[in-house]
Amino acid sequence: MTQAVETTSAQTQVIATAELAVIEREIQKLREGLLRPFAQKFHYPLVVGTASGLPTVLCLGNHSSGKSTFINHLASINIQETGVAPTDDGFTLITYGERETVTDGRATVADPNLPFSEFQQYGNDFLDHLKLKRRPIEALKQICLIDSPGLIDNPGALNDGSRGYDFNAVVRAFANSADLIIFFFDPDKPGTTGESLRVFTDSLSDVMYKLLIVFNKVDTFGDVRDFARTYGSLCWNLSRVVRTKDIPHIFCTFVPGLTSATDRMIDLTDFEKSTSELKREIGRVGQRRRTNMVGALLDSARQLRIHATVMRHVGMQLMWARLAIWGSAIAALGLGGWLLWYYRSHSGLLTTGLILLGVGMALGVGSGFLLRSRLRGLIGKLDAIFHDIFSKELLEHQNTRFLEGLWGAVKPRTVHVLKTVGPGGVPFSPLWLHKLRKLRRATETDIPEVLGKVSQ
């Protein structure tokens, strides 16, 4: 890594080591002590950032957009092969090692000391296109760089399998675990190819807050008019995939020394500043990691609270239905038995007793069916249940779309869990009401306070 990046990393280390350790313990306590029991009890995946692994930068971009060249520039050494033609069709993890080594994908994901075991699920075709490069470069002790295959115009459908594995899913997994995502464009392809369009819309839609957009190789322009025309084309293409009112900031960068000063008529002063700014952002990836960890914890806590609250309400409704069914069954059996015992000689009451016994047994035998029917009805009313439970909060929040947006993200999982566990697997204990209050306090006070500390 260049001296500029190393200096920037040192300058941006605003949280002392001891204080950072305290913050990480707070995150661990909240995650394992409060969120984990909820996640296990209510069957909700706890997807939060962990402290395992190094701060990670994922580099994406069109073919020949300069990803590998920029990585080599940062490292001040040729780690990746570069060229106009495609030179690598796989993912490369680049990190520190005492000596120069290259490890294949299967060995990489099988190593218990590396945080990549989850990538085994994408199969051997993907692992054949994954490798880990270790280099004895001091600054790589603080960062892991991920180079990716160049994105291309692929004529296939959205689920095209021409790469041999689920490429979009792999990118999504790397993007979720990364702390910073850099998407490179270049003058030859100042827009989204077919594959990059799918990556934007499918793999990066939930992690846009991590994304930096880079317009690379700006030193290849002959004059400012060519730059302006191509830059405008890039902005127009991005407007189709970045669903915000304003186009995000675009870093206009270049790698010094690749073009001759006599071949261009464009001033690179501002572009040098933009390139340095991008390097500073990369240097801040450690702080980004801490912020991402707490941000992911807060997102998970908010979603988990809504899921658990709705699930518990459904569980309570099922509990009352269960009590009503079994109470009616016991009452019918008891009354029917009493009539049969004391009024054996009275034909009318004897018949009534037999009917009551039949009703009681039917309720007992059919209780499972009745409860499943009740659960289906409650699932159909989940939106109404959510609005009823959170009616006060919806009134208190000026932006009700925030809570409704959380519910929109949570609802599919809630429905899936309810259908999977059935009436007998839905928690209903009144004790969880107190714990839900603690979870709400964590989402509104405790976790935001930790986020404030790491953002300083």
Side-chain angles (χ1 to χ4, degrees):
M1 201 68 63
T2 61
Q3 184 177 358
V5 175
E6 294 181 24
T7 303
T8 301
S9 298
Q11 291 174 341
T12 56
Q13 189 68 25
V14 296
I15 301 178
T17 303
E19 184 179 354
L20 177 57
V22 172
I23 291 173
E24 290 182 347
R25 284 196 296 271
E26 289 182 32
I27 295 173
Q28 180 80 2
K29 180 180 178 181
L30 287 168
R31 182 175 63 243
E32 302 302 327
L34 181 60
L35 269 63
R36 187 74 65 187
F38 270 100
Q40 293 173 346
K41 186 69 175 180
F42 292 91
H43 310 282
Y44 197 84
L46 189 59
V47 183
V48 296
T50 66
S52 62
L54 291 171
T56 303
V57 178
L58 171 63
C59 297
L60 300 169
N62 295 333
H63 158 62
S64 191
S65 58
K67 303 184 304 298
S68 299
T69 301
F70 198 85
I71 288 174
N72 291 342
H73 170 64
L74 288 174
S76 299
I77 186 174
N78 289 333
I79 299 176
Q80 295 291 82
E81 295 183 13
T82 62
V84 176
T87 56
D88 197 346
D89 64 348
F91 290 86
T92 304
L93 312 172
I94 303 168
T95 188
Y96 177 82
E98 295 294 336
R99 56 190 179 87
E100 185 174 315
T101 61
V102 179
T103 307
D104 63 46
R106 288 176 174 81
T108 298
V109 300
D111 190 338
N113 297 315
L114 296 173
F116 302 114
S117 59
E118 66 174 286
F119 288 93
Q120 296 184 68
Q121 64 182 297
Y122 299 110
N124 289 335
D125 285 336
F126 162 68
L127 297 181
D128 290 338
H129 292 81
L130 173 70
K131 56 189 170 186
L132 170 67
K133 290 185 178 181
R134 296 183 183 273
R135 294 293 184 269
I137 301 172
E138 188 67 22
L140 286 178
K141 290 182 177 180
Q142 308 300 326
I143 195 170
C144 175
L145 302 173
I146 304 177
D147 199 3
S148 61
L151 305 176
I152 56 178
D153 279 308
N154 195 325
L158 289 178
N159 59 351
D160 185 274
S162 59
R163 289 190 183 269
Y165 58 92
D166 192 340
F167 180 75
N168 284 353
V170 170
V171 173
R172 188 184 310 115
F174 275 124
N176 286 335
S177 62
D179 302 292
L180 183 65
I181 305 166
I182 305 177
F183 206 114
F184 289 82
F185 294 95
D186 68 291
D188 291 334
K189 293 175 289 297
T192 50
T193 65
E195 197 167 44
S196 61
L197 174 63
R198 293 196 289 273
V199 166
F200 259 103
T201 56
D202 181 40
S203 303
L204 304 181
S205 58
D206 294 332
V207 292
M208 297 298 286
Y209 64 96
K210 300 180 183 179
L211 181 65
L212 300 182
I213 296 175
V214 172
F215 187 27
N216 200 24
K217 300 184 178 181
V218 293
D219 56 335
T220 60
F221 286 107
D223 57 54
V224 70
R225 289 173 297 179
D226 289 341
F227 166 77
R229 187 163 46 247
T230 311
Y231 184 86
S233 177
L234 172 60
C235 291
W236 186 86
N237 282 298
L238 285 174
S239 67
R240 298 185 301 159
V241 293
V242 180
R243 302 303 182 186
T244 57
K245 183 177 180 180
D246 300 314
I247 294 295
H249 177 70
I250 299 175
F251 294 84
C252 298
T253 65
F254 69 100
V255 174
L258 295 185
T259 61
S260 172
T262 59
D263 295 336
R264 60 176 179 263
M265 300 174 60
I266 186 170
D267 185 3
L268 296 180
T269 303
D270 288 335
F271 300 141
E272 289 173 348
K273 294 178 181 177
S274 186
T275 303
S276 298
E277 185 180 351
L278 176 61
K279 292 179 181 179
R280 284 194 295 272
E281 288 297 324
I282 296 173
R284 292 180 58 249
V285 69
Q287 184 177 353
R288 276 180 174 266
R289 181 170 185 78
R290 294 188 292 271
T291 304
N292 290 342
M293 286 170 55
V294 184
L297 183 74
L298 182 58
D299 289 342
S300 289
R302 286 168 170 167
Q303 294 184 8
L304 181 57
R305 175 184 166 239
I306 290 177
H307 169 80
T309 302
V310 172
M311 282 274 292
R312 180 189 168 276
H313 180 88
V314 171
M316 292 295 294
Q317 295 298 311
L318 290 172
M319 182 196 70
W320 290 119
R322 188 178 292 107
L323 289 175
I325 292 170
W326 283 105
S328 299
I330 292 172
L333 289 171
L335 182 58
W338 181 76
L339 290 174
L340 288 176
W341 180 261
Y342 288 101
Y343 296 95
R344 294 186 297 272
S345 60
H346 194 294
S347 60
L349 293 177
L350 179 64
T351 301
T352 302
L354 290 172
I355 292 173
L356 287 171
L357 285 175
V359 170
M361 288 187 289
L363 286 173
V365 172
S367 60
F369 172 80
L370 293 173
L371 287 172
R372 287 192 295 272
S373 178
R374 175 60 173 156
L375 178 58
R376 286 194 296 271
L378 290 168
I379 290 175
K381 299 177 181 178
L382 282 182
D383 287 331
I385 291 173
F386 163 75
H387 283 92
D388 182 57
I389 296 173
F390 292 94
S391 58
K392 185 177 180 180
E393 290 184 48
L394 288 168
L395 289 174
E396 291 174 350
H397 282 75
Q398 294 182 353
N399 185 8
T400 59
R401 292 184 180 179
F402 176 71
L403 274 177
E404 291 175 345
L406 286 175
W407 169 238
V410 167
K411 181 181 175 181
R413 179 67 186 183
T414 305
V415 171
H416 175 73
V417 171
L418 290 172
K419 289 182 177 179
T420 302
V421 303
V426 185
F428 59 85
S429 172
L431 298 177
W432 284 98
L433 187 60
H434 171 69
K435 296 179 181 179
L436 283 169
R437 293 193 185 101
K438 291 179 64 176
L439 185 56
R440 180 180 181 180
R441 185 169 65 250
T443 62
E444 294 180 351
T445 305
D446 300 341
I447 301 178
E449 285 180 354
V450 178
L451 184 60
K453 293 177 183 178
V454 301
S455 300
Q456 291 176 356

